[in-house]
Amino acid sequence: MSTAILTGTPVAGSPLEADLRTLGFDVRTANDPASVAELIAGLPAQQRIAVVDPRFVGHLHALRLALTDPRFPAAAVPGALTVQPEARPALTRAVGRIPVGAGTAHLTDVLTETLTESLDHDAVGLHRVELGSLVATVALTPARREEAREAVAAVDDEAVRLRTAVKSRDGFFTTFGISPYSRYLARWCARRGLTPNQVTTASLLTALIAAGCAATGTRGGFVAAGLLLLFSFVLDCTDGQLARYSLQYSTLGAWLDATFDRAKEYAYYAGLALGASAASGKGGGDDVWALALGAMVLQTCRHVVDFSFNEANHDATANTSPTAALSDKLDSVGWTVWVRRMIVLPIGERWAMIAVLTALTTPRIVFYALLIGCALAACYTTAGRVLRSLTRRARRTDRAAQALADLADSGPVAELIARGARGRGRAGSYLAPVMAFLSAAVLLIWVIFEDDPSSWLTVGVAAASALLAGAAVARPLKGALDWLVPPFFRADEYVTILVLAARADVPGALPAAFGLVAAVAYHHYDTVYRIRGGTGAPPRWLVRATGGAEGRILVVTVLAAALSPSGFTIALTALAVVLALLVLAESIRFWVSSQAPAVHDEGEPA
């Protein structure tokens, strides 16, 4: 239970007290700053506290936005403010600073505004709610009260609540094909007490059933898989809309939403590959595990580009460029906005394409379309970001450099090399991305074009690649293109595993590699969402225990050189299981016990 303090005598006939109780507040009254301070001091330390002017007139949803949103330590609208436990000391100080005596009536007459201004100056992260068409005001006279009530009656706050439950920026298919009805599904869930996390879990289960249908290898199974995948995406949209509709934001929810999206998509790829193999046994298909793994690698690398670029520029100063200015101009031409959003093949368009092609064609055609579409999207987005980075005059912060270093996922070998190379390059130059590119290029060219990459020579090339990787992260990653370092490392690791498994040319090698890349990719996504949640990267012991990117590459190349193809397959499977158990155990422990600020992801990448 939270507590709302009415700072004066309640207005007769006002629905305010009933509204506050509807929002879950226990209502108390206090007539002056001293009694407000006394009430606050007597409340449990873990309670949220609201201070509300009894003359408040406004929409219930305006109060809901101001008083119940868990994302902000303090929030306010005219006539009402709230603080969560971490901001309560600031509220106590604000109340204590209000002078008592002659000439102070203007400070206590509208006490909520005085306290709001004081909290704003106290730098506690006060959030002033943008009301839009909603009404929230303090009516000081009967005439003002009647006028405010008319303004409230003129706006349907439930319609506003439904409209704002939908993300303001989304893909074309999601905006026009899903959101017009999924918002009503979100309201239906809210009225039955369902939580966003429950809807997220239902979406995951639906997608896993879809993957199971695809794995049957029958036309009926493929049709059912396509339909279920689309329904899973409807639920995926609904969980975020439910969170915004009912203000049920949480760090755990943001993590579940993001990681389950990846789990659903990659499990579906595996289902398609299994279905193709099943059809192959009936003489109707072929083995597409290499394509499935390639699609997962490409999609994951696209996301790493998104994450790295965004983190590098999250708090950069002087963050402007002619390319960004051109993009802003194009935003004023409506149709170009939708075209550019569709070009990047975001999750809505991508899942719709996968679902339709699954129902109508074969897994091989699905993967060909997916690889071509994602490759073109990756070229478009990466080229645009490189141009922005080269033309902008931005100064990267230590926080951004640390985030990129965490995303690089360097292990003990790279750390050792970096310590030896430190001081031999200039931070902010192009040395880091060049070294990272060479680290990836040297190894990938070798394993792709060498007749027998499963050799000790490949281990030597992998060691040289690790040397270059260590040199790439030897200095703070503050250069214009240093955000490319993590994507180069991801491509190096994932593609090396893919090629070595494919070249082993034995049954089971590619599925084992798929499992290994999935486990490693989960670790990398987990790192991203920890950084986004403001809690920093996973502990260094976990990164060292998993070997880091360069360490895992060395282990895989040694296994390929030392073991027979069938032994290599068994070793990949064992490595995948061990890594999955390690990163999942630590990740689940962290997120279940996380005290990170409440968030809900609004910028899910393509």
Side-chain angles (χ1 to χ4, degrees):
M1 175 69 74
S2 302
T3 299
I5 302 172
L6 291 178
T7 58
T9 304
V11 177
S14 170
L16 180 58
E17 287 192 59
D19 286 347
L20 290 171
R21 290 193 175 93
T22 297
L23 297 177
F25 285 90
D26 177 31
V27 181
R28 310 278 187 90
T29 59
N31 293 318
D32 54 57
S35 54
V36 169
E38 185 179 350
L39 263 178
I40 293 173
L43 293 172
Q46 71 276 13
Q47 273 200 13
R48 173 195 284 268
I49 295 176
V51 180
V52 184
D53 193 303
R55 297 163 295 182
F56 174 89
V57 179
H59 287 100
L60 174 62
H61 193 50
L63 275 179
R64 181 182 290 109
L65 291 170
L67 305 185
T68 67
D69 195 326
R71 294 173 297 174
F72 309 105
V77 293
L81 69 92
T82 184
V83 294
Q84 297 209 63
E86 62 266 33
R88 278 182 57 172
L91 178 61
T92 301
R93 290 193 299 270
V95 173
R97 283 196 293 260
I98 298 176
V100 178
T104 64
H106 66 288
L107 297 176
T108 57
D109 184 43
V110 188
L111 185 59
T112 54
E113 297 307 303
T114 302
L115 294 176
T116 298
E117 290 299 324
S118 183
L119 288 175
D120 210 359
H121 289 108
D122 214 1
V124 295
L126 177 72
H127 172 65
R128 291 183 182 269
V129 177
E130 294 184 10
L131 292 170
S133 59
L134 295 175
V135 176
T137 187
V138 176
L140 300 178
T141 65
R144 290 280 301 276
R145 175 170 293 276
E146 187 59 32
E147 181 182 338
R149 284 174 172 169
E150 290 176 1
V152 169
V155 177
D156 183 352
D157 71 337
E158 178 61 19
V160 173
R161 191 180 178 191
L162 269 175
R163 185 178 70 250
T164 54
V166 178
K167 275 200 276 191
S168 59
R169 179 182 174 87
D170 222 328
F172 182 87
F173 177 74
T174 304
T175 299
F176 297 104
I178 304 295
S179 293
Y181 55 88
S182 61
R183 69 184 76 183
Y184 295 101
L185 179 57
R187 182 171 66 182
W188 183 89
C189 292
R191 290 176 175 176
R192 281 151 185 81
L194 297 176
T195 68
N197 290 352
Q198 290 171 332
V199 178
T200 301
T201 303
S203 176
L204 173 67
L205 293 175
T206 304
L208 293 179
I209 295 171
C213 291
T216 63
T218 64
R219 178 51 52 194
F222 287 148
V223 172
L227 293 173
L228 286 169
L229 186 66
L230 285 176
F231 182 60
S232 174
F233 184 64
V234 172
L235 293 175
D236 184 53
C237 295
T238 301
D239 63 2
Q241 291 164 359
L242 174 59
R244 287 181 286 275
Y245 181 85
S246 56
L247 300 183
Q248 296 184 72
Y249 300 103
S250 70
T251 300
L252 177 63
W255 170 71
L256 288 176
D257 185 49
T259 54
F260 280 12
D261 278 352
R262 306 285 78 78
K264 289 181 285 189
E265 186 166 2
Y266 300 155
Y268 192 81
Y269 293 174
L272 284 174
L274 288 170
S277 298
S280 177
K282 304 167 189 173
D286 58 1
D287 187 346
V288 295
W289 274 106
L291 296 177
L293 180 51
M296 181 167 67
V297 168
L298 179 56
Q299 190 56 36
T300 304
C301 288
R302 283 185 65 198
H303 286 157
V304 174
V305 169
D306 293 336
F307 298 143
S308 295
F309 179 81
N310 291 336
E311 288 302 326
N313 296 283
H314 175 74
D315 50 6
T317 57
N319 201 7
T320 60
S321 75
T323 310
L326 175 61
S327 178
D328 292 339
K329 288 182 179 179
L330 288 174
D331 284 343
S332 64
V333 184
W335 65 269
T336 67
V337 174
W338 294 116
V339 169
R340 285 182 293 138
R341 289 185 191 178
M342 294 173 69
I343 286 174
V344 301
L345 204 64
I347 187 170
E349 277 75 359
R350 190 169 68 252
W351 283 28
M353 179 186 75
I354 293 170
V356 171
L357 290 179
T358 298
L360 300 179
T361 64
T362 65
R364 177 170 287 273
I365 292 176
V366 173
F367 285 124
Y368 279 158
L370 191 59
L371 286 166
I372 293 170
C374 287
L376 292 174
C379 291
Y380 170 77
T381 54
T382 305
R385 286 167 178 173
V386 168
L387 285 174
R388 289 190 182 201
S389 300
L390 291 174
T391 56
R392 70 174 25 138
R393 294 289 182 266
R395 183 175 301 169
R396 272 75 183 185
T397 63
D398 292 337
R399 177 202 171 281
Q402 183 58 53
L404 291 180
D406 292 334
L407 290 174
D409 193 31
S410 301
V413 176
E415 281 184 335
L416 183 63
I417 296 166
R419 279 198 293 269
R422 201 156 285 152
R424 300 188 182 183
R426 183 170 60 86
S429 68
Y430 297 116
L431 182 62
V434 168
M435 287 295 183
F437 172 77
L438 291 175
S439 173
V442 164
L443 182 57
L444 294 182
I445 290 173
W446 176 269
V447 297
I448 290 171
F449 295 104
E450 170 63 21
D451 290 337
D452 181 19
S454 300
S455 68
W456 291 105
L457 280 175
T458 302
V459 177
V461 176
S465 175
L467 285 170
L468 293 169
V473 296
R475 298 299 299 268
L477 299 176
K478 294 185 176 182
L481 295 178
D482 284 2
W483 57 270
L484 286 169
V485 171
F488 283 142
F489 287 172
R490 295 296 80 74
D492 189 17
E493 179 179 2
Y494 298 160
V495 177
T496 296
I497 295 172
L498 188 162
V499 173
L500 289 176
R503 299 288 291 276
D505 197 25
V506 294
L510 280 167
F514 189 96
L516 177 57
V517 172
V520 176
Y522 176 88
H523 167 58
H524 291 144
Y525 282 115
D526 185 51
T527 300
V528 167
Y529 288 102
R530 292 198 197 204
I531 294 172
R532 282 188 172 184
T535 58
R540 284 304 302 169
W541 70 260
L542 179 66
V543 177
R544 293 190 178 104
T546 59
E550 80 293 340
R552 289 188 295 270
I553 290 173
L554 284 168
V555 168
V556 171
T557 55
V558 167
L559 293 175
L563 302 173
S564 66
S566 58
F568 179 58
T569 299
I570 295 171
L572 282 183
T573 304
L575 187 59
V577 170
V578 170
L579 282 175
L581 291 175
L582 186 62
V583 298
L584 275 171
E586 162 56 22
S587 176
I588 292 171
R589 181 210 63 78
F590 170 80
W591 287 104
V592 169
S593 62
S594 174
Q595 298 301 312
V599 295
H600 192 84
D601 183 48
E602 297 290 341
E604 179 63 19

